[in-house]
Structures are given as C-alpha cells and as structure tokens.
Amino acid sequence: SNNMKIIMIHGRDQQGKNPKALRQTWIDTLNEGLGKHGLKLPEEQEIIFPFYGDMLDSLVNPDDIGKAVAGVIAKGVLPDRELPFLYEVLNDIAQNAGISDTEIAQHANMQVTEKGVLNWKWVEGIIRAIDAHTPFGDATLKRFTYDVFIYLTMPNVRKKINEFVTSAIDDTPCVVVAHSLGTVVGYDVLCGLAGAQVAKYITVGSPLGINSIKSKLKQPLCMPACVANGWYNAYDQRDVVALNP
C-alpha cells in the first residue's frame, strides 16, 4: 500500500557517513531484492531513515576499546559490575564460532587458568581468536562489541537514541526494517510503543540471539505488542553474531 511507510534503522559504525547516500544504498539494495522476485517499490513510497550514527559517535568515541572501557570505569561513569557484559558477549560469539579456551589461550599467549573478565590479555585473545575464524576483522569486532555495550549499559545513550528513533514512528501503518545494532534499538523502541501500527518487523544480521545481549533487555525477548503480522529475521550462516535466530 502507498500509505504504508517503511522505517529503516541502520546498524553500528555509520558515523561520518552521508545520511542521504546511506539511505539511498538501503533503498537500492531493497529494490535489488524486490526485483529478483518481480516486485518493486511504489513510486510514492514514503521511506524514513532516522540516522543516529553521528549521535552515537558523539556520545562515545573510543579509539581503543581496552582504554575506553578502562577509562569509563576509572571515571566512575560505569559500575564495575557492567564490565562482565563485554566479556560475556565475546564468549557467546566465540562459542557460536566453535572456539575453545585452548585456542583463546594460544592467541592470548597465556594459560587457560589465567582466563577471566579482568584480564585484558585474555579478552584480547578472544577477539584475536574470533578474528582468525570469521570474516569480521579485529577492528570491526571491537567496534561492534563496544557500540552494543555502550548502547545497552549506558542509560543516557540508550535514552537519547531511542527518543530519536521513536520520533520517526507515528501512529500510521509502517514496516520497520533494522540491521545489526539497529535491530536492538528497534526492538527496544517497538516494545515501548503500544500505539504504533507496525505491520511487520524485519531484522537482518541481528545480535538479539546472543544471551548476554538478551539479558540486558528490559524484558525477556518477545513479540512487541505493536507488531501485527510477525517478525521476520534474516541472517548469514557465516555471521557468528547473528547465528542464534
């Protein structure tokens, strides 16, 4: 229907990009997929693209995840008890990729008995082991983990991004399409929008199946009440972050 809006929620690491160009890339990709099935978007299709990439980056801009996490804790912004989240996410991803503690120990150049959340060498060993197994890349994995970590554990960041994305959704019918960290943002937003009319929620490359990420949600994972016709989740079998559909 021409009245059905499409709301696209992008993922992590989009800071500094041109929102119009990024929006067009999403539209071109959607049209490519539709074309394979003999379909196309209506001429007057309304597409809303709430770009929060620069906002996320302005709230936190880490060059080095280790220094950033240590710095946040040293400044007293984040309680020590939140640090295990980072460790748990990496452990969950390593488990998805079938990586053993023995292999992590080799990458960390230390003994398995020295493993632990507060041993940064061990955490870096997990990152290097995942990097060796997957197409992620060391820097991509660090940034992904850190962005999700910041969004889920720092209430001021979560609140600002949620408010911005929420402002893009009104009470007219829509389809919400989200990718990566955007699927976590989208889920959080939709759970708080009782009055919205979301025909379908479509997620791509979602980390919502990772136990440590699920544990940080306000409630156990469920269908948001405002979603009328189901939730469709797409994932790549090589994507160890999205492997638990």
Side-chain angles (χ1 to χ4, degrees):
S1 159
N2 283 4
N3 297 325
M4 183 81 68
K5 293 179 186 174
I6 298 176
I7 294 161
M8 299 172 164
I9 307 174
H10 69 79
R12 48 157 297 284
D13 207 22
Q14 303 299 302
Q15 65 278 5
K17 294 190 178 175
N18 180 322
K20 284 185 180 174
L22 198 57
R23 177 182 183 273
Q24 193 56 51
T25 301
W26 275 59
I27 293 168
D28 292 346
T29 306
L30 176 56
N31 272 322
E32 187 181 326
L34 288 170
K36 289 176 182 176
H37 297 276
L39 301 167
K40 63 179 181 180
L41 287 172
E43 290 294 323
E44 301 299 315
Q45 178 65 55
E46 186 176 359
I47 292 173
I48 297 168
F49 192 84
F51 179 71
Y52 67 87
D54 288 343
M55 183 185 292
L56 178 63
D57 202 49
S58 71
L59 293 167
V60 194
N61 184 18
D63 294 319
D64 178 317
I65 186 173
K67 287 176 191 164
V69 173
V72 166
I73 290 162
K75 289 173 193 164
V77 180
L78 197 70
D80 284 342
R81 63 185 170 78
E82 297 292 8
L83 183 59
F85 169 72
L86 187 69
Y87 183 64
E88 286 165 22
V89 171
L90 291 171
N91 269 329
D92 285 343
I93 293 171
Q95 204 168 356
N96 278 357
I99 298 166
S100 68
D101 279 355
T102 307
E103 189 177 339
I104 292 167
Q106 287 168 346
H107 280 280
N109 196 23
M110 58 197 293
Q111 300 298 313
V112 172
T113 50
E114 296 174 82
K115 79 173 190 176
V117 61
L118 295 176
N119 193 327
W120 189 250
K121 269 183 69 184
W122 180 265
V123 175
E124 289 197 314
I126 304 175
I127 291 169
R128 281 197 287 269
I130 295 168
D131 182 26
H133 274 256
T134 71
F136 252 103
D138 180 294
T140 307
L141 182 66
K142 282 182 181 177
R143 185 78 207 203
F144 165 79
T145 309
Y146 194 70
D147 283 353
V148 176
F149 169 69
I150 288 301
Y151 173 77
L152 284 176
T153 60
M154 298 189 77
N156 65 316
V157 174
R158 192 168 178 170
K159 184 171 181 284
K160 283 183 182 173
I161 290 172
N162 282 9
E163 283 172 355
F164 177 67
V165 173
T166 298
S167 69
I169 306 172
D170 56 23
D171 56 0
T172 57
C174 67
V175 171
V176 178
V177 186
H179 172 242
S180 180
L181 172 61
T183 71
V184 184
V185 175
Y187 176 77
D188 213 33
V189 164
L190 294 181
C191 282
L193 282 178
Q197 294 186 59
V198 181
K200 192 175 282 286
Y201 186 35
I202 298 169
T203 52
V204 183
S206 176
L208 281 167
I210 292 179
N211 289 330
S212 44
I213 289 175
K214 278 194 289 193
S215 72
K216 288 289 175 193
L217 300 170
K218 290 168 188 164
Q219 60 189 51
L221 204 60
C222 63
M223 185 70 72
C226 65
V227 177
N229 301 312
W231 177 343
Y232 180 86
N233 182 60
Y235 67 101
D236 187 320
Q237 290 183 330
R238 296 165 298 178
D239 185 352
V240 290
V241 165
L243 257 189
N244 300 338

